[in-house]
Amino acid sequence: MNYTTVLWDLDGTILDSAPGVFASFVHTFETLGLPVPPAEQMRTFLGPPLEVTFGETLGYDAEVAARCLATYREIYLNGGQAVNANIFDGVLDVIAASKAAGLPNSLATSKGISGVKIVGEHFDFLDLFDVLGAADLEKGRSTKSAVVEYALAELAAQGADLSRTVLIGDRIHDIEGAREHGIEVILVKWGYGDESEWAQADAVAETADELRELLGL
């Protein structure tokens, strides 16, 4: 594939953040006296923006959802849960190969910028990216589409060739956000998606080596 620019989702694509995310959700619900959903339901919380999870998915009203969001972020960022994670095998090597090949690379994640910087510094991968495309509520950027829009604008300002951009992700939200900008999508099977999501991608990678081949590296 002759891609000119690569966007990268973070959770479920680069980072196995499930342990810290699950712990933060459980602590949030317990702290606020809310019922703790079963583990199989919480697995679906991996990927979508937190506003979607607390609002649309769980059906909390705006006030309760806001309290959940604030509590979760406090626990996740300040309680050390952000680094309760692992890097998926081989994926950083693929990003490094993409960078070495001269392709512009940007994160495009619904994770907040503070969390991105914490885990990025902890696992030492921030220098692989030309742009840190992340959610930022203070700037009104929370959806995947908004994050992708921001990443593309920043890359364009740097002179990146966006004529054939691809987003590497793992969930349907990655597909939906990319499609709004006419971008191709490769989903990785090591993340949190399922067959119904994979079927909607332009391509699917089971391993980091397969992803490298799909990117033509």
Side-chain angles (χ1 to χ4, degrees), residues 4 26 37 53-54 62-63 80 109 114 117 152 154 160 197 199 202-203 205:
T4 60
V26 170
T53 296
F54 291 128
E63 180 182 352
T109 173
S114 297
K117 289 181 177 178
L152 292 175
E154 291 295 305
E197 294 168 291
D202 295 291

Side-chain angles (χ1 to χ4, degrees), residues 11 15 17-32 34 42 45-51 53-54 58 60 64-85 110-112 115 118-119 137 192:
D11 293 337
L15 191 70
S17 55
V21 169
F22 284 160
S24 297
F25 273 119
V26 170
H27 291 170
T28 296
F29 297 131
E30 291 179 342
T31 297
L32 298 178
L34 297 169
M42 284 200 292
F45 299 168
L46 294 162
L50 291 170
E51 294 83 356
T53 296
F54 291 128
L58 291 171
Y60 294 142
V64 174
R67 290 170 58 206
C68 287
L69 185 60
T71 303
Y72 177 95
R73 286 197 169 123
E74 176 68 22
I75 293 168
Y76 187 75
L77 296 177
N78 300 323
Q81 293 298 345
V83 296
N84 185 4
S110 296
K111 184 187 288 294
I118 289 172
V119 298
L137 291 184
Y192 310 132

Side-chain angles (χ1 to χ4, degrees), residues 18-173:
V21 169
F22 284 160
S24 297
F25 273 119
V26 170
H27 291 170
T28 296
F29 297 131
E30 291 179 342
T31 297
L32 298 178
L34 297 169
V36 178
E40 58 268 24
Q41 182 181 10
M42 284 200 292
R43 183 173 175 78
T44 67
F45 299 168
L46 294 162
L50 291 170
E51 294 83 356
V52 172
T53 296
F54 291 128
E56 297 177 21
T57 303
L58 291 171
Y60 294 142
D61 62 32
E63 180 182 352
V64 174
R67 290 170 58 206
C68 287
L69 185 60
T71 303
Y72 177 95
R73 286 197 169 123
E74 176 68 22
I75 293 168
Y76 187 75
L77 296 177
N78 300 323
Q81 293 298 345
V83 296
N84 185 4
N86 299 286
I87 298 292
F88 288 110
D89 289 344
V91 68
L92 291 184
D93 291 335
V94 178
I95 302 171
S98 177
K99 184 177 180 68
L103 295 178
N105 291 269
S106 172
L107 282 174
T109 173
S110 296
K111 184 187 288 294
I113 186 64
S114 297
V116 168
K117 289 181 177 178
I118 289 172
V119 298
E121 290 170 1
H122 180 78
F123 291 105
D124 193 25
F125 61 66
L126 294 182
D127 62 347
L128 293 176
F129 299 98
D130 301 288
V131 175
L132 299 182
D136 190 332
L137 291 184
E138 293 183 0
K139 297 182 179 179
R141 193 167 65 241
S142 61
T143 66
K144 177 65 74 166
S145 177
V147 167
V148 170
E149 181 178 10
Y150 169 78
L152 292 175
E154 291 295 305
L155 287 166
Q158 295 179 13
D161 179 358
L162 305 180
S163 60
R164 193 174 184 202
T165 301
V166 64
L167 188 149
I168 313 300
D170 70 310
R171 295 295 315 275
I172 187 64
H173 302 86

